[in-house]
Amino acid sequence: VVLLGSAPDPRIQNDFVNLANQLHSSHSDQARLCLTYDEPLSHLIYAGADFILVPSIFEPCGLTQLTAMRYGSIPVVRKTGGLYDTVFDVDDDKARAEAQGLEPNGFNFDGADGAGVDYALNRAISAWYDGRDWFNSLCKRVMEQDWSWNRPALDYMELYHAAKKY
């Protein structure tokens, strides 16, 4: 497990700082927790991870899951904002994905509690263990999804030209 980031709640952030200190003192040669912003490190984590967990309570856009998918890391996200707009659950969101011209690409969960996270992570880890070929095809599929501005830009151009006719 690799943890990169910070918590907006000072109490939770303090818990992570305490955990980092505890890990350093008891397992300094086996575990390390760095609570800092490090862009190059984040890209190495994306590239080396099987999953990216984004349990945000609020996420207006969400670039984390998009970057992770580009590297083939499967998103496990809370159903909120941009995370819900871009991550279509492999078990529950086929129709929603098809409506966007996409295929399911990750795992999502409701609620901001441990049970929701546990539910989604258990499904993701089971998929990794029980269906490696399927999981590898999912990784390939998420890398091929186009989240650039190319398609929205063409949609806007078509709308503009249609509006000009009136």
Side-chain angles (χ1 to χ4, degrees):
V1 174
V2 176
L3 177 65
L4 178 67
S6 60
D9 184 327
R11 293 172 299 154
I12 295 171
Q13 182 69 19
N14 191 47
D15 288 343
F16 280 121
V17 169
N18 290 337
L19 177 60
N21 292 336
Q22 180 184 2
L23 285 173
H24 184 69
S25 66
S26 61
H27 302 292
S28 63
D29 61 336
Q30 298 172 337
R32 179 101 191 253
L33 184 62
C34 298
L35 302 172
T36 184
Y37 178 81
D38 188 326
E39 185 74 18
L41 177 60
S42 72
H43 287 270
L44 291 172
I45 293 169
Y46 291 131
D50 293 307
F51 306 103
I52 186 84
L53 174 63
V54 189
S56 298
I57 293 172
F58 173 78
E59 190 70 57
C61 175
L63 295 177
T64 300
Q65 79 284 5
L66 297 177
T67 304
M69 286 190 284
R70 197 69 178 150
Y71 282 96
S73 182
I74 303 303
V76 179
V77 303
R78 183 171 174 269
K79 290 181 182 179
T80 188
L83 298 173
Y84 185 64
D85 292 340
T86 57
V87 177
F88 304 93
D89 193 276
V90 298
D91 294 324
D92 302 319
D93 283 337
K94 186 172 184 178
R96 191 170 67 90
E98 285 177 357
Q100 298 292 321
L102 297 166
E103 294 183 56
N105 56 6
F107 300 86
N108 54 36
F109 58 93
D110 291 308
D113 58 2
V117 172
D118 192 49
Y119 170 69
L121 278 176
N122 280 335
R123 291 186 302 126
I125 292 168
S126 291
W128 187 86
Y129 274 109
D130 299 337
R132 191 61 63 91
D133 289 338
W134 176 86
F135 185 84
N136 289 339
S137 70
L138 177 63
C139 292
K140 185 176 185 232
R141 186 167 62 237
V142 301
M143 286 189 282
E144 292 171 346
Q145 287 183 335
D146 181 8
W147 292 102
S148 72
W149 280 103
N150 294 338
R151 187 174 42 149
L154 290 174
D155 292 343
Y156 284 121
M157 287 174 55
E158 287 178 18
L159 180 62
Y160 172 77
H161 288 296
K164 265 180 47 174
K165 291 179 182 177
Y166 296 102

